[in-house]
Amino acid sequence: MKIIGKVATIIFKNDKNNWTVLLLKQNSDFITCVGETDEIEVDDEIELEGDMVTHKVYGEQFKFISYKKVLPQTTSALISYIADNIAGVGKKTAKNIVDEFGEDTVNIIRFSMDRLYGIKGLNAEKIERLNEFFNTEWEKWNTIEYLSQFQISTVIANRIYQAVGKDTIDIIKENPYSLLGFVKSLDFKVIDEIGIKTGIALNNPDRLDNGIIYAINKITEFGHTCVEKENLLNYCVELLKVDDADISQAITRLVLSEKLFVEKINMQEYVFRQSMYLAEENIAKSVIEHTRFNVEKTDTEKLINKVCKNTDIILSDEQKKAVDTCLNNMISIVTGGPGTGKTTIIKCIIDILEEKKKNYVLCAPTGRAAKRITQTTGKEAKTLHRLLEISKVDDSDIDMFYEYKVKQVEDDVVIIDEASMIDLMMMNNLVKGIKPTTQLIIVGDVNQLPSVGPGSILKDIIASDVVPTVELKQIYRQSAKSDIIVNAHRVNDGLYPEFRNKDTDLFFISTTSVEETIDQIESLIAHRLKTFAKLDVLKDLQILTPMKKTELGTIELNEKIQNILNPESIDKNQIEYASKIFRDGDKVMQIVNNYDKKYSIEGKFFEGIYNGDIGYIRNIDKKEEKLYVEFDDNRLVVYEFDELEQLEHSYAITIHKSQGSEFDYVILPIFTGYKKLLTRNLLYTAMTRAKKMLVIVGNRNVVNYMVDNLDSKNRKTGLEEKLINLLYENKNK
């Protein structure tokens, strides 16, 4: 359905995602329209394509999927268009121009502006203004209209025009694939449709090269840094509809230009995109270089005894070995499951470093993880982003993240906790920021979920056996009493968890359907938990779930739990934003790192709100269009309404989002879901998030399936191989 009208009012515009609410005038009628727009103004004549829908709060509105500016088609429309857009040129002068040149008016203005000097009401300045406007605005909207025939949205089309300029249409007709070099966010499949429609041959080199880059990017989206050459070849043959000889030739061409790299791993050829190969190579060089530097030897026995005496802690032989390894090597790793004393070791190392007057910095991959280290050690911890002063970068833009210039770290020792969360590009930036003489202590549980981004850094470095590593296996006395910890270790060892459901901190509630699972969760939240535990359900309880979608995903669970714990009330302000209702008292999470966002504590202002920070909405001020959130440590943050895409409800969060965090009470629904997602280390990670109580609700067979499913541990990466090869090369020099 298409409608045409004039923009009467722009009610709302989010500059970050282009979401717009506007009032369109059609004759004497007004229609509320919603959708994405770019560079649109009041009085613009536009054509919208979409459908009439009924919104549950705002009623009937036109939801458009695309729009275009309607360029004047008649003499009277052209007169109005000139008068409305050119300062100092009224309708009388505009009519003089159109009367003089008729159908050639636009071409005269654009290409023969000298002929305008005879028109009454025009001077040199106005003629220059006319020429400039028509050579930019007219060309831009012609380009947008041309691209609309290929189902490219106005927002994307405008982005293309801004990058390429007035020659966009000619460039598209000659070689549409060149657009991918100008605008990185463009989807190859969209451009490929243009290419095919404009007659580009299927085996055109530009088409094949860009198609292969697109293919390897898609294949490596799930954490891999490389792909088997044979698999890439087969995938590209199907994707691009050409012979395998064409693909092989194109891969060779891309390798020769160093846009792709090929490496043999276990006698099989793997293909890497440029930035991932170079990042792995850089990490391997730095790690090996660290192992070759000697550290000033420390008599750890004396220092450990002194620290233990001062702090009333007792270290086992295993823990003493870990401390000694960390202090007497330029790079070292400590790994182990819950209850094995990793935090105790970090505390001891810090005390010894302070005794030796060494400068050190504590850090972690996320804000939540950094905060937890601060709480457990009593020492300030930074995120890796903050340590390296990485800001205003799109983490999903792998190439930009690879090339990022980071701050150089001047501390003697860098201690990283929760290292299983470090991805390839963050580790690459870390090694760029430290010197070979910087002592690096890496602590983490290698059996936790791998990083969200590509790579399996901790696992690969340990597997290479090039870095001194201590694996902690002993569960200490207090932790050994916890069924949560004991069963988390069982799961990690491939054994099914044992549920006693009596005198325990681990409970299992069996259900036979999704509906029953939801009923049990709602019952626990509403009243049952309070009967046998003293807790503030809103603050002390966290629902963890494997996924965002489905009835047991965060989106639907958050809506259900919000209705139980924070129902609608005349006493509470609320606002709808992007299909979510935010209400006074809601539990919310910051979902992006925002290093520039200011917050206040008791009237003093600071900067930095991090992905994973959880807080509560204290007030929604509709008049000022501001929403106030209080995060942990009494940090009060003010959000403009157009910043609310940074927030999500957090009554329920994904297990991935919970990494690096701990919660007193956890409910974990496990009944159904995407099988590849339901893995052993997902279950293990979820179980180790609970401190005082864990309640698993769902299907025992699915729990057992997760224990048996090792799928996510099989990321294809090349770091382990590079480390081993580089160590061998250095030994044989």
Side-chain angles (χ1 to χ4, degrees), residues 560-571:
K560 289 181 172 68
I561 300 167
Q562 181 192 38
N563 290 333
I564 295 171
L565 295 181
N566 193 31
E568 186 174 358
S569 163
I570 57 171
D571 299 324

Side-chain angles (χ1 to χ4, degrees), residues 402-571:
Y402 168 74
E403 294 167 357
Y404 198 91
K405 289 185 178 179
V406 300
K407 179 191 175 186
Q408 293 301 296
V409 179
E410 300 299 330
D411 298 271
D412 301 320
V413 184
V414 174
I415 304 170
I416 308 170
D417 198 11
E418 297 289 354
S420 62
M421 299 169 69
I422 301 176
D423 65 21
L424 175 68
M425 289 303 160
M426 182 52 79
M427 189 66 184
N428 178 60
N429 280 313
L430 175 64
V431 300
K432 284 193 293 185
I434 62 174
K435 298 171 284 194
T437 53
T438 303
Q439 207 169 345
L440 187 58
I441 297 170
I442 302 170
V443 182
D445 184 349
V446 73
N447 296 303
Q448 294 275 359
L449 281 170
S451 56
V452 175
S456 53
I457 301 300
L458 185 62
K459 177 174 174 285
D460 285 355
I461 296 176
I462 292 173
S464 71
D465 203 27
V466 303
V467 172
T469 300
V470 177
E471 182 181 2
L472 304 172
K473 296 180 179 178
Q474 182 180 340
I475 304 173
Y476 292 94
R477 188 167 45 191
Q478 193 62 34
S479 299
K481 295 177 183 177
S482 166
D483 283 341
I484 296 172
I485 289 177
V486 169
N487 279 282
H489 282 274
R490 284 182 62 82
V491 167
N492 190 44
D493 292 336
L495 302 172
Y496 300 145
E498 295 175 340
F499 302 109
R500 295 189 296 156
N501 280 7
K502 188 177 180 183
D503 299 324
T504 181
D505 56 1
L506 174 63
F507 296 86
F508 179 75
I509 299 173
S510 178
T511 58
T512 56
S513 67
V514 170
E515 291 73 23
E516 186 186 356
T517 305
I518 293 169
D519 287 344
Q520 289 286 352
I521 292 169
E522 290 179 340
S523 173
L524 285 165
I525 291 168
H527 58 86
R528 282 166 59 196
L529 273 177
K530 291 180 181 177
T531 62
F532 56 88
K534 289 183 178 180
L535 79 157
D536 181 333
V537 175
L538 194 60
K539 290 184 178 179
D540 301 331
L541 174 70
Q542 186 61 59
I543 313 294
L544 301 182
T545 179
M547 61 218 110
K548 293 190 77 169
K549 296 179 181 176
T550 77
E551 287 180 275
L552 290 173
T554 58
I555 297 170
E556 293 205 27
L557 282 177
N558 270 315
E559 190 173 337
K560 289 181 172 68
I561 300 167
Q562 181 192 38
N563 290 333
I564 295 171
L565 295 181
N566 193 31
E568 186 174 358
S569 163
I570 57 171
D571 299 324

